[in-house]
Amino acid sequence: MRVGFGYDSHRLVEGRRLVLGGVEIPYHKGLLGHSDGDALVHAITDAVIGALGLGDIGRHFPDTDMTWKDASSVMMLKHIVGLVRANGFEVSWVDCTVIAEEPKLAPYMERMEEAVSASGIPHGAINIKAKTNEGMGFTGRGEGVAAYAVCLLRKL
Ligand code: MG
């Protein structure tokens, strides 16, 4: 078995869609990024890449690659899940925490788990949690959203 850890953060700005866990969430700001800025899916992706021992998300999806400009991050994760199978592993479990002061994410947890499973990670193998940061730090001030993820891969 292999474990991987992932972290990501993106800045909240006016004029962008807010996409988290592959779900578009109504809010007056969205996450800035080369892709859709989905910090949660990026953290999951880095956790899976880490468990594979294949570097990091920037190596697989460089900002200079226009293929992934405004791309769905779930599709980027799907590409990495393809590498999991190609390397003889399967995703056994993903657990993650997304930190956002606003908006309230609890109503979207189930839809996020379903949307992330479009990557090929089994629906029953994903757990998503959401927290505020109690007003502290950049997440607490609403300047951005952060996410942490761990992934367990099992050798087939
Ligand atoms: Mg990112």
Side-chain angles (χ1 to χ4, degrees):
M1 290 200 270
R2 295 266 199 89
V3 67
F5 171 75
Y7 168 79
D8 196 27
S9 61
H10 280 256
R11 189 178 290 273
L12 276 167
V13 295
E14 306 275 355
R16 291 269 301 180
R17 300 181 304 142
L18 177 60
V19 180
L20 278 171
V23 175
E24 189 166 341
I25 296 163
Y27 192 54
H28 66 281
K29 288 181 177 179
L31 296 171
L32 191 61
H34 181 66
S35 62
D36 59 12
D38 192 331
L40 175 57
V41 171
H42 293 178
I44 295 169
T45 303
D46 242 356
V48 177
I49 292 170
L52 281 171
L54 292 177
D56 62 32
I57 194 168
R59 190 167 119 191
H60 295 267
F61 308 103
D63 281 359
T64 49
D65 185 351
M66 295 314 282
T67 315
W68 303 101
K69 176 93 176 82
D70 298 320
S72 153
S73 296
V74 173
M75 289 303 108
M76 294 161 69
L77 178 57
K78 188 176 183 179
H79 175 76
I80 298 299
V81 172
L83 294 180
V84 170
R85 297 209 186 88
N87 282 272
F89 286 93
E90 68 175 4
V91 178
S92 187
W93 192 257
V94 168
D95 184 33
C96 45
T97 301
V98 55
I99 302 162
E101 207 67 20
E102 281 186 341
K104 282 279 168 246
L105 300 176
Y108 301 98
M109 295 292 99
E110 271 179 42
R111 277 172 60 197
M112 286 186 194
E113 288 173 5
E114 209 172 295
V116 172
S117 73
S119 67
I121 297 174
H123 185 242
I126 305 164
N127 187 71
I128 300 174
K129 308 181 295 298
K131 295 183 76 69
T132 70
N133 215 34
E134 302 277 337
M136 298 179 288
F138 75 89
T139 47
R141 290 188 297 269
E143 293 168 12
V145 170
Y148 301 86
V150 288
C151 166
L152 186 71
L153 297 186
R154 185 169 45 213
K155 190 90 182 171
L156 290 170

